[in-house]
Amino acid sequence: MTTHLITRSEVVERSKTLSAFPVLLNQILATIEDVDSRLMVLTGYIERAPIIATRVLALANIAAQRRNSSKIRDLHTAITQIGLGRVREIALFSSVAIFIHGFTTASTPSCFWEHSIAVGICGEELAHYDDTPCLANATLIAGLLHDIGQLWFRCFYSADMHEIGNQAHSHSICIEELERERFGIDHATIGFWLAEHWALPKGICIAIRHHHDTDAALSEPLVALVHVAEVLSNALDLFGNPQNRVTKLSTPAFQKLGLVWGSAKRPEFGPLFGRIEARSRHANDLLQLAG
Amino acid sequence: MRKRHCYITVAEAEVGMELGAPATGTKQGKLISMSAGHKLTGDDLFQLAERRVEFIFVTEPDPRPDEQVAVDAAQAAHRVMEIFAGADLSDPIIATLFNQVIIYRSA
């Protein structure tokens, strides 16, 4: 039964009382397209973000230690050593982590952030698997933010969400169905409104909007990537979250990524799973640096 | 001794690890290639990192006794079945994914 209809203006206005969306994130996403100046521009952004610069240096030194190389003390050498792609990944990761921290409350489950990371990194690897590495960073962001609407719900409708969570678990009902019953909309729509308000690229907004309801929006490549990433992150039990479950998946989304036997691009699941797990451990390194 | 294989990131690689599959990378048109069975040196790791190779497939000694291997495999299979307990395994796509995860966990 609907108890309170939530509107777009309520979502946007109330989000302004939470942490401000990081300008850095959109700036970094813009450097993906800017081939000529991206190293210099990205270095400039990171120099102005001490937390991220520290993480880049720390990660470069972990790698240097494993190679028995001397300690790296300056940011330029660190960026050269670990590579532009990896640095951008750290910067995106850190910006979203700091931002999401401002959205979390006492009622936010501890596994929430781990699930978001798992979907983000799984999507990033799927983008490489699908020969669309240019989409890797956008998929990472879409994965990290795909459930941001749930965090919004938990901030402003904590008791309702607690009840909905219990109901969904005990009756095996999709959480988004229960959200729609109570509020008239689900967390995917709230996430979409927020992403649009933050001026995120259109593809990321659409992927957040359609991560449960994919089939009408598969013309946007990020939709299949984020949906399949969520399914695989649960199937592979990334981060060992006890709530990891595979219940339903979109066949067209799997077909779009060639993850179906008999498709033109025969899938090689073993290497794909191995790489996803390796990337997941790498993300865990980043998390420990963040701690 | 039994061996096990896994993908690791180049950042996780250590001197002395053995490649389970060839590793290749290029920089400014210069190719570096290491064959399966090659034991990594500090210079190799530097070369791979410099060429932005992200992952390598390595072979490591597995010191577990047979009984432990069987217990670990059974536990892994049980967890996969728990994860897929609510899934419709008559759907060919879900069934394929389930089978592939079971195979991967048993390897």
Side-chain angles (χ1 to χ4, degrees), chain A residues 10-50:
Chain A
E10 178 190 346
V11 170
V12 170
E13 285 310 309
R14 293 185 108 174
S15 75
K16 291 175 184 170
T17 64
L18 303 169
S19 62
F21 192 74
V23 177
L24 180 64
L25 206 141
N26 275 330
Q27 289 174 330
I28 295 167
L29 283 172
T31 66
I32 297 167
E33 304 297 331
D34 186 1
V35 178
D36 294 330
S37 63
R38 57 189 184 179
L39 176 60
M40 200 186 305
V41 172
L42 187 61
T43 308
Y45 292 148
I46 291 171
E47 277 172 346
R48 292 197 293 275

Side-chain angles (χ1 to χ4, degrees), chain A residues 11 38 53 59 85 87 91 97 134 147 156-157 190 195 208 219 233 238 253 283:
Chain A
V11 170
R38 57 189 184 179
L59 201 71
V87 171
C134 55
D147 274 342
F156 301 109
Y157 294 91
I190 289 190
I208 292 172
S219 56
S233 70
L238 297 184

Side-chain angles (χ1 to χ4, degrees), chain A residues 250-273:
Chain A
S250 156
T251 299
F254 269 67
Q255 283 170 331
K256 192 173 169 72
L257 299 184
L259 289 169
V260 179
W261 292 118
S263 64
K265 191 171 91 177
R266 189 180 174 83
E268 292 184 30
F269 286 98
L272 174 64
F273 293 170

Side-chain angles (χ1 to χ4, degrees), chain A residues 66-67 80-81 83 86 125 232 236-237 241 244-246 249 251 260-261 269 271 274 277-279 281, chain B residues 7-9 11-13 15 45-46 49 52 54-55 79 82-84 87 93-94 96-97 100-101 104-105:
Chain A
R66 285 180 175 143
R67 295 196 294 261
T80 310
Q81 288 291 309
R86 203 46 78 228
E125 187 50 39
L232 288 189
L236 291 172
D237 206 15
N241 177 355
N244 283 340
R245 291 288 184 277
V246 173
L249 53 80
T251 299
V260 179
W261 292 118
F269 286 98
E277 289 202 319
R279 202 176 278 282
R281 288 194 304 273
Chain B
Y7 275 90
I8 59 171
T9 62
E12 292 174 300
V15 171
L45 295 178
F46 180 79
R52 310 287 173 243
E54 282 197 278
F55 301 101
R79 177 63 181 140
E82 191 176 47
I83 288 169
F84 281 81
I93 305 288
I94 294 186
T96 299
L97 181 61
Q100 291 299 320
V101 176
Y104 177 70
R105 289 288 174 233

